[in-house]
Amino acid sequence: MTVVSTTLGLFPLPDDARERLADLKGHQKEDLVSGDEAPDIEAVYDEARDDLLTRQADADLDRAVEGQARWDDMLAHPLAVHENVRTEGIVRYYDNNNFYRDPVVTGDLTHSGDLARDLERASALTDSLQAVVPGPYSLSRLATDDHYGSSQAFLAALGDFLAGEVESFPDAVETVFVLEPSLATESLDDGEDERAAAAIDTVAAATDAEVVVQSYWGTYGEKLHAHLLDTDVSALGYDLVTAHDDATYLVQEYGTLDSVSLGVVDGQNTLVESPDTIEERIEWFRDQIPVSEFDTVYATPNTELFYLPVNKFQAKLRALGALGGDRE
């Protein structure tokens, strides 16, 4: 079994980049990222990306993410910068004190290439690149549909849209993490669980990279978990910080894929876990289940890390980076 230390991306913006962007852009809604930034603003984002990748290299993480310094709207970013989406009032980002602009889809969600451009730039700075995208179901819950006309058509369209984005990623991308917190925070209706899994399958089919579906703030319902096991993704992710008992129950009862992703570091708590604590959480999970021989265990925070101060974020990277390697 190989342990791969990595993260779910969405990092806190380095302080110097935050200050320079405030000087260049201000703090108003119209000053948020639109996908058409001036060269001096793009230069700050380029430097921030370089900074975030350097921090991951210094921490010795096995897979590095681009960092998503341009994402003003957390998971909703790919829609917020799309030409057929307008943004309206701010909306609470799940059950916390962060907010994003409500993306209202007004036309066909065609391929934009926004994510691929950032990853192309990152690929020149690391030889172990991981992409992070929102999952189609979570995106459907975060956005407003003013074009497709039904929740089923909207979800399918988001799956196709994200597949188009993923298909354009550079070959350097080794892993694609699909973040799906809404799969855990909401109870999916009959049929909705199958459609959510099908939309994820559409995304997974668009790339040869390993695809990991990661949910957090809870875990999957039993029927949904079964549908996810039938997809072509490489691994399912389980949040061992907030739902360790429910997650292990699912795996004990229904099994899982040959690889798993384990949220073993609290992405919203400034208390920094030691490498020994993280290792114990991985071994505890393995001890709870009948078959513990996985091909790969991705060791990650249980959520995005943008909630943390930069110094705590860096400390959590170092704790994770101390893990990687093969296990008996």
Side-chain angles (χ1 to χ4, degrees):
M1 181 186 83
T2 301
V3 174
V4 174
S5 57
T6 187
T7 72
L8 309 188
L10 290 166
F11 289 163
L13 195 61
D15 293 339
D16 59 337
R18 186 184 305 280
E19 293 169 3
R20 291 171 63 195
L21 288 169
D23 291 340
L24 290 168
K25 298 168 55 184
H27 299 283
Q28 304 303 310
K29 174 183 175 182
E30 58 269 22
D31 296 319
L32 297 176
V33 166
S34 64
D36 188 23
E37 278 61 57
D40 53 349
I41 295 173
E42 284 289 346
V44 178
Y45 285 125
D46 287 344
E47 292 174 22
R49 181 181 303 109
D50 193 343
D51 180 317
L52 294 172
L53 283 161
T54 298
R55 291 172 190 264
Q56 293 172 85
D58 291 345
D60 204 22
L61 287 179
D62 294 315
R63 297 274 165 87
V65 299
E66 189 266 330
Q68 293 83 45
R70 293 179 58 246
W71 290 35
D72 287 322
D73 297 280
M74 289 82 84
L75 294 182
H77 166 87
L79 290 182
V81 298
H82 194 281
E83 62 180 0
N84 289 335
V85 176
R86 71 172 185 272
T87 55
E88 296 192 340
I90 61 172
V91 182
R92 185 179 293 276
Y93 183 63
Y94 294 100
D95 187 21
N96 60 58
N97 290 325
N98 290 283
F99 296 86
Y100 67 99
R101 293 170 292 177
D102 179 19
V104 180
V105 177
T106 59
D108 288 345
L109 289 172
T110 51
H111 167 251
S112 77
D114 181 86
L115 304 183
R117 284 190 289 274
D118 287 342
L119 289 167
E120 285 283 1
R121 292 167 180 168
S123 68
L125 303 171
T126 178
D127 58 3
S128 185
L129 184 60
Q130 174 172 294
V132 176
V133 301
Y137 183 75
S138 295
L139 210 50
S140 76
R141 306 305 294 167
L142 294 172
T144 300
D145 173 36
D146 198 22
H147 175 69
Y148 289 98
S150 74
S151 59
Q152 294 93 331
F154 190 39
L155 177 59
L158 286 165
D160 291 338
F161 164 64
L162 291 167
E165 300 301 306
V166 168
E167 190 172 18
S168 67
F169 286 176
D171 292 339
V173 171
E174 298 182 51
T175 321
V176 178
F177 263 63
V178 180
L179 305 188
E180 282 280 25
S182 290
L183 292 183
T185 60
E186 299 190 15
S187 296
L188 279 65
D189 297 334
D190 283 346
E192 195 174 25
D193 44 15
E194 187 173 5
R195 290 191 290 273
I200 289 170
D201 219 11
T202 299
V203 178
T207 178
D208 292 330
E210 300 164 345
V211 175
V212 182
V213 176
Q214 186 91 14
S215 190
Y216 38 95
W217 297 317
T219 196
Y220 321 99
E222 294 181 24
K223 284 185 62 180
L224 171 63
H225 187 252
H227 286 302
L228 290 172
L229 292 179
D230 286 337
T231 64
D232 285 331
V233 303
S234 302
L236 293 185
Y238 302 94
D239 180 350
L240 298 192
V241 174
T242 66
H244 56 282
D245 285 336
D246 290 341
T248 51
Y249 166 78
L250 278 177
V251 179
Q252 288 167 344
E253 291 294 315
Y254 304 105
T256 188
L257 300 173
D258 292 339
S259 297
V260 292
S261 175
L262 302 179
V264 286
V265 165
D266 193 334
Q268 293 182 272
N269 190 318
T270 56
L271 179 65
V272 178
E273 297 86 349
S274 70
D276 286 345
T277 296
I278 300 171
E279 189 77 49
E280 288 169 6
R281 290 175 178 174
I282 294 172
E283 291 307 315
W284 175 86
F285 179 79
R286 294 178 69 192
D287 289 344
Q288 304 303 306
I289 57 180
V291 178
S292 59
E293 294 307 314
F294 299 107
D295 292 342
T296 300
V297 170
Y298 297 92
T300 75
N302 70 319
T303 70
E304 316 99 315
L305 291 174
F306 74 92
Y307 306 94
L308 298 172
V310 172
N311 63 333
K312 298 297 183 182
F313 149 72
Q314 182 72 37
K316 299 229 178 193
L317 292 189
R318 287 195 294 268
L320 281 165
L323 284 182
D326 295 334
R327 303 286 191 283
E328 292 293 332

